[in-house]
Structure formats: C-alpha cells, structure tokens
C-alpha cells in the first residue's frame, strides 16, 4: 500500500505544483531610489502642469488618481505640443504587448487637443531599424491619428534606441515634417517606450536631443534597463522616468501624461480675479475683459467706465455728455431745446426768454440763435450786445427849429428850410421874403416906422415860431412812435 501511494504522488506532483501559490517576485527596478511619478516641472521648456504628489518609491506604478479627471470640460486644456512617440517594437515585445503600447498612445492622443494650431503628433517605430510611421503634419484630427496608430506593425528585431532618437531629431522634429519653429514657443516633446536595454550608445544622442530643446520622457516596461532610461530622460528624472512591470498596466500611464500636459483654466476654476469677464487663452493662460461701456484698467483685472460719447454711437444730434455710471445723456447747443426723444434738438426763441442781453433790440435767427440790433442813431458795439450813439440829431434833443445836421458822431449844427435864415441863437429861423415885404412898404428911415416894423416882425415871427413848434412837435412825436413801435 505505501508503494502505491508513493506512485500516485509522483503522478499527481505536476498538478500539485500548478495549485501551489507562486513565490514572491523580486522587486522591480523602481525599488531603487530616485524615481517618482509624474509631477510639475520648473523652468526649462516643460509643457507645464500642476504638481502631483510623488508615488511611494520601491513600488511599481499601479494606478493613479487622475487630477484632471474630476474636472468638467474646459477646466483642463492641453497645451499645444509637437509630440513624437518613439516606440520599441523589437522581438522582445510580443504582438499582444505591442497592441497595448498602441492603446497607450491612442489614450494619450484622446486627452490632447489635436489640430494644426494645437498639438501635432508623429510616431517613430524602431527596433534595429527605424521607421517614421507618420509625421507631425500628416494628421490634424484625433480619429485619423488613432486609425494611423492602429495600423502600425512591429519591426521585430533589435533595440536601437539611440538611432531612433537621432531619427526623431533629423526627420520628425523638422519644420519640413510639420514641427513649428523656435519663434512659436511650442514645446517639442518625445515619449520613448521600451522594454529592453539599448543596443547602441544612447547617452550622447539623448544629450544632443535635450540640448536642441526636445523634452524627453522615458517609459520602461518589464525588462527595461533603468540606467538607460535615466540616460534618455530630461531632468528632473523623477518627473520624466516611468516604469511599469507589464504592458498590461501601461495604459494607466496615459492619465499621468494627461495631467502632465494639462493646463489648468483659471476662468473655470474661479481664480482669475477678473472684475467683469475672464477669457481663456489656452495653455493655462487667460486675460480679463470688461463689459460694454467699460475699459480695462492698468492692473489688467479691474474695469472703469469708458467714454461712451467717444464711441460715436450715442445718437445725440448736438452734444453727448458722459455720466459717472458709464452711461451718457444728450444736450443741445445754446438756443435749442432737447426733444422728447432725448436725442434731437429744436430751435428756441431766445429773444422771448429775455436772456439775450441785447441793450436795444433782440432779433431771432432761423438756426435757433439770435443777434442784437440798435435803434436808429446808434451803432452796435464790439460786444455785439450794447449800443453807442451814432447821430446826435437822431436823438431829438438838438433844439434846432428847422433842420439838424450831424457833424460826426458827437457834433451837429442847425440849418433852416429854404426861404428862411438862421437867427443869432443858431437854432431858430426867420422868413426872408416877409421881412423884405415889410421893409419895402414902410418908411424904414423913420424911427416910429422902424419900431412899428420891428414890432410887427417880432409878432409875426412869434406866431410863425409857435406854428412851427407845433408842427415840429407833432413830427417828433410821430418819429418817436415809429422808433418805439
């Protein structure tokens, strides 16, 4: 019986080995200090991202809390990049594993803003030879990019990582191939994915690539040589070197790269401090703008009411006046009133308002204005309002019995009608023919006759003067009435 049991055990031993738990695997390369998960890079041309806490050293990457995953669309927008994937397809990468690499590439593409003005993607496939699968300018949308990635097949030979990086510099990162020039400030980024040790000298080539402005990320899988990864990657290494134990979990690294290339949107986060409007410019940048009727202050955040009148959209017929609130109101020129529409103006009668300031007469003009005039015998002064005497005779205070003659603006003399002569008082007049008739009919030599003649002449002159005074009084009354009508 014991002999039969031992024989049975020999037969069942292979099955028992399959049921036993596997022995613990040796710690992976990430157990060595100095390698951490993706984080924020300082100055030096990094695409820029938010800091992330370091993964514990000594354990391979096993999943990540995606910082940008909980955010809504628009909060985290990828920066424009010239991005080249350099993927190892040597014989050590099995077909199923190479499919996992292509899925990893496609998932990163999904997290990016793809386009001619956004991120451009190229793929360099390498083993012992190098093949540029497509250039940066070949595809400008996600779907065509992902279809092109899906069509890539492995080369299945050696691992010439240095040659692949050199080919990326010489053929992929050129302006002719679709890379943007140095003046564009578009970062050049390469992600190298490998599972083995390079079979060429990668150190010098990677150094030249970094010196040319290319930011290098190194992703190692399974048997990848950690020292070679460090030679490839940019500084700081703990932000540019990644390791996963199998291709089965490499897809999870895509969320890390999404976070790396993510530019937080201050407008969506509410950290912009814009007083009115926040405008996202992409790449984590933004600028402030103001509501209509306001202008941005020198601090580029706050707003002040602008000169709406200067915009020339006010519609005021005459005058636009800015108000403190950023609005405005219309006013009219002197002599006009604002209509009910609060924009157009109508002429007003300033003379009727009594505000004209004219000393003598106010005359309305058709355009809503007015001018001053003076009475006869006066002239308008330089102020266009007051008047000065132009003719003393016109004033009616000259005292001339018959005629007043101006001798300038302030002087005059009296004159008589035809048939009369001016008396010694230089104001009154005597009839010449009557005097002659009286002299011819009387004895001018006799004293009595002379006295009688003088009495009659004086009496006649008095009557005549009274009549003339009466006539002149009426004439002056009529003239005065015409002036003041």
């Amino acid at each position: 019986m014991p002999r039969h049991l031992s024989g049975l055990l020999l037969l069942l031993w292979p099955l028992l080995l399959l049921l036993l738990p596997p022995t613990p695997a040796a710690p992976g390369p990430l157990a060595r200090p100095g390698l951490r998960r993706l984080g924020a890079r300082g100055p030096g041309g990094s695409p820029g991202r938010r800091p992330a806490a370091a993964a514990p050293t000594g354990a391979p990457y096993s999943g990540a809390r995606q910082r940008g995953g909980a955010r809504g669309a628009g909060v985290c927008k990828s920066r424009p990049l010239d991005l080249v994937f350099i993927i190892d397809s040597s014989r050590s990468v099995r077909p199923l594993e190479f499919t996992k690499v292509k899925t990893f590439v496609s998932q990163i593409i999904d997290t990016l803003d793809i386009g001619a003005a956004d991120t451009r993607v190229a793929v360099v496939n390498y083993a012992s030879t190098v093949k540029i699968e497509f250039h940066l300018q070949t595809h400008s949308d996600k779907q065509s990019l992902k279809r092109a990635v899906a069509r890539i097949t492995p080369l299945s030979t050696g691992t010439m990582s240095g040659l692949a990086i050199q080919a990326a510099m010489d053929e992929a990162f050129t302006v002719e191939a679709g890379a943007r020039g140095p003046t564009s400030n578009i970062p050049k980024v390469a992600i190298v994915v490998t599972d083995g040790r390079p079979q060429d000298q990668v150190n010098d080539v990677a150094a030249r690539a970094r010196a040319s402005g290319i930011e290098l990320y190194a992703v190692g899988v399974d048997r990848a040589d950690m020292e070679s990864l460090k030679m490839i990657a940019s500084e700081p290494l703990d932000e540019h070197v990644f390791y996963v134990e199998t291709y089965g979990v490499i897809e999870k690294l895509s969320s890390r790269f999404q976070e790396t290339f993510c530019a937080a949107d201050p407008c969506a986060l509410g950290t912009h401090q814009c007083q009115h409007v926040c405008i996202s410019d992409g790449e984590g940048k933004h600028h402030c703008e103001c509501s209509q009727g306001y202008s941005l202050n020198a601090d580029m955040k706050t707003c002040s009411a602008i000169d709406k009148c200067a915009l020339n959209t006010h519609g005021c017929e005459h005058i636009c006046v800015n108000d403190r609130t950023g609005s405005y109101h219309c006013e009219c020129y002197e002599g006009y009133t604002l209509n009910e529409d609060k924009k157009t103006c109508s002429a007003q009668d300033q003379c009727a308002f009594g505000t004209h300031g004219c000393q003598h007469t106010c005359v309305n003009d058709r355009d809503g204005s007015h001018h001053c005039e003076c009475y006869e015998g006066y002239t308008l002064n330089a102020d266009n309002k007051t008047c000065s005497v132009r003719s003393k005779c016109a004033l009616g205070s000259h005292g001339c019995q018959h005629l007043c003659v101006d001798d300038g603006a302030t002087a005059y003399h009296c004159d008589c009608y035809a048939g009369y002569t001016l008396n010694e008082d230089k104001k009154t007049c005597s009839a010449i023919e009557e005097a002659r008739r009286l002299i011819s009919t009387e004895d001018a030599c006799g004293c009595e006759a002379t006295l009688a003649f003088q009495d009659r002449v004086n009496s006649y002159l008095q009557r005549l003067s009274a009549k003339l005074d009466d006539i002149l009084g009426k004439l002056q009354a009529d003239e005065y009435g015409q002036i003041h009508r």
Side-chain angles (χ1 to χ4, degrees), residues 15 29 92 108 163 177 225 325 360 391 407 413 416 442:
L15 293 176
S92 61
I108 293 180
L163 183 64
D225 178 64
T325 60
H360 286 185
S391 172
D407 295 327
H413 69 275
C416 298
E442 298 292 339

Side-chain angles (χ1 to χ4, degrees), residues 170-413:
D170 296 341
E171 301 179 47
F173 282 114
T174 63
V175 175
E176 294 77 15
R180 283 157 284 193
T183 57
S184 66
N185 285 328
I186 302 296
K188 292 177 172 55
V189 178
I191 300 176
V192 180
V193 182
T194 182
D195 72 340
R197 181 189 298 273
Q199 295 175 351
D200 56 1
Q201 295 297 319
V202 74
N203 192 13
D204 292 340
V205 178
R208 287 196 300 272
R210 294 191 298 268
S212 70
I214 299 173
E215 185 173 13
L216 287 170
Y217 289 87
V219 177
V221 184
D222 192 12
R223 298 170 298 276
D225 178 64
M226 190 56 59
E227 292 304 315
S228 297
L229 296 178
K230 292 179 181 179
M231 291 179 186
I232 293 172
S234 298
E235 293 285 350
L237 295 179
D238 59 354
E239 295 173 10
H240 291 83
V241 176
F242 303 93
Y243 176 81
V244 289
E245 287 191 340
T246 67
Y247 281 102
V249 295
I250 190 174
E251 299 170 21
K252 295 182 180 180
L253 280 177
S254 61
S255 61
R256 295 293 185 91
F257 279 99
Q258 178 187 17
E259 186 175 323
T260 296
F261 302 144
C262 172
D265 186 349
C267 295
L269 295 176
T271 59
H272 49 80
Q273 297 182 343
C274 296
Q275 185 179 3
H276 284 187
V277 182
C278 179
I279 305 295
S280 295
D281 299 325
E283 303 182 21
K285 298 178 182 178
H286 74 285
H287 70 276
C288 300
E289 292 184 2
C290 297
S291 304
Q292 186 177 3
Y294 292 80
S295 61
L296 197 63
N297 294 328
D299 61 7
M300 306 307 289
K301 293 183 180 296
T302 59
C303 301
S304 296
I306 63 174
D307 186 348
K308 280 208 168 183
C309 294
L311 299 176
N312 203 28
T313 57
H314 47 77
C316 297
E317 184 180 3
H318 285 187
I319 304 169
C320 177
V321 180
N322 284 299
D323 299 326
R324 291 182 179 178
T325 60
S327 60
Y328 66 94
H329 69 275
C330 300
E331 294 183 359
C332 298
Y333 299 138
E334 186 178 358
Y336 291 80
T337 55
L338 194 64
N339 294 329
E340 290 185 1
D341 61 7
K342 301 299 182 183
K343 290 183 178 293
T344 60
C345 300
S346 297
Q348 62 186 13
D349 186 351
Q350 282 203 333
C351 294
F353 292 159
T355 59
H356 49 77
C358 297
Q359 184 179 2
H360 286 185
T361 306
C362 176
V363 179
N364 282 303
D365 299 324
R366 290 184 179 179
D367 60 356
S369 61
H370 71 283
H371 71 274
C372 299
E373 294 183 358
C374 297
Y375 301 141
E376 188 177 356
Y378 290 82
T379 55
L380 195 63
N381 294 328
D383 61 6
N384 291 319
K385 291 183 179 293
T386 59
C387 302
S388 296
V389 175
R390 182 183 67 203
S391 172
K392 287 277 188 180
C393 294
L395 297 177
S397 59
H398 46 76
C400 296
Q401 187 178 4
H402 283 188
L403 301 171
C404 179
V405 179
D406 284 306
D407 295 327
T410 59
Y412 69 96
H413 69 275

Side-chain angles (χ1 to χ4, degrees), residues 11-57:
L11 290 172
L12 294 178
W13 181 249
L15 293 176
L16 292 174
L17 288 176
L18 292 174
L19 295 174
L20 290 174
T23 56
L30 203 62
R32 296 171 225 173
L35 296 181
R36 294 192 295 175
R37 57 161 280 184
L38 227 63
R41 186 182 173 197
S46 168
R49 51 257 170 203
R50 312 188 92 207
T57 55

Side-chain angles (χ1 to χ4, degrees), residues 121-162:
V121 176
V123 172
V124 176
N125 186 9
Y126 81 97
S128 58
T129 60
V130 177
K131 179 182 179 183
I132 308 295
E133 296 289 347
F134 52 84
H135 290 286
L136 292 169
Q137 63 187 2
T138 306
H139 303 285
S140 58
D141 63 275
K142 289 184 182 181
Q143 294 307 315
S144 62
L145 263 177
K146 291 167 68 176
R147 285 195 296 268
V149 169
R151 290 193 295 267
I152 299 173
T153 58
L155 300 177
S156 299
T157 49
T159 307
M160 305 295 286
S161 302

